[in-house]
Amino acid sequence: MKKLKTHLPQFRAYVEIDLGGPVTFGSQSYIISTLNTMGFETPYDCEPKEWIMPDYDVIKKFDPEIIIMEGKMYRGITQEEAMERLKEQGLDKTSAFIERRVFTTPGKLDFLAHHGPDFFNSAIPWIENIYQLMSDESKHTNINTGIE
């Protein structure tokens, strides 16, 4: 994995999932391992934990280029709700917010938080699409959905 990672451009990413409150992830999480393997670094890559209550000052200093938000199970989160929540958290000065590179996971069910077969069939291709969009810096594509 390290060999693959060193050959990919790295993009700064922050992931937050609503598990009854905001949660992010450290190096012991399959979500972060997947993102690292696919070319993303996160603010808690070196933190030997799975679940972390986010420190928004750490996130601001990290200045993510993309933010991925997943809503509460059975509810999901809209783009507008995600942007409002980030503003409330003081993350509206981050590169991701300013460039509107805030991605909301599709649907109302767990997407990244579900580690079953759908993670491989749906979540990984979705993350690959985000990576490709970042790599291409396409101005003609809707950065949130990947639809031209």
Side-chain angles (χ1 to χ4, degrees):
M1 282 192 209
K2 261 192 194 255
K3 190 172 184 183
L4 175 64
K5 186 176 172 185
T6 60
H7 288 88
L8 293 172
Q10 295 292 290
F11 298 109
R12 294 181 316 279
Y14 171 64
V15 177
E16 185 173 296
I17 297 178
D18 184 346
L19 298 176
V23 175
T24 192
F25 307 92
S27 65
Q28 302 300 306
S29 167
Y30 67 92
I31 295 170
I32 298 308
S33 294
T34 300
L35 288 168
N36 290 163
T37 300
M38 296 174 76
F40 296 98
E41 62 179 315
T42 69
Y44 296 105
D45 282 352
C46 297
E47 189 71 35
K49 296 179 181 177
E50 184 173 4
W51 309 96
I52 298 172
M53 297 299 291
D55 177 337
Y56 295 115
D57 288 332
V58 169
I59 309 308
K60 289 179 214 174
K61 186 175 179 183
F62 179 72
D63 189 27
E65 295 168 282
I66 71 160
I67 295 174
I68 297 173
M69 306 277 296
E70 181 163 295
K72 193 168 180 66
M73 178 75 155
Y74 301 118
R75 188 186 177 298
I77 188 168
T78 67
Q79 185 72 21
E80 294 77 25
E81 291 169 331
M83 298 300 277
E84 186 59 34
R85 186 178 303 171
L86 292 169
K87 191 182 266 188
E88 289 169 4
Q89 295 164 340
L91 299 178
D92 55 331
K93 303 287 189 267
T94 63
S95 295
F97 190 95
I98 292 166
E99 296 293 324
R100 299 195 56 82
R101 291 186 179 137
V102 176
F103 299 86
T104 56
T105 57
K108 294 182 178 186
L109 301 177
D110 285 346
F111 189 74
L112 295 177
H114 179 72
H115 55 273
D118 279 347
F119 184 78
F120 297 97
N121 297 329
S122 300
I124 289 177
W126 185 77
I127 295 166
E128 285 175 333
N129 188 41
I130 293 171
Y131 183 86
Q132 190 61 52
L133 289 169
M134 290 296 293
S135 295
D136 292 345
E137 288 291 340
S138 174
K139 301 297 182 197
H140 304 290
T141 302
N142 179 328
I143 194 91
N144 196 45
T145 64
I147 299 171
E148 292 188 32

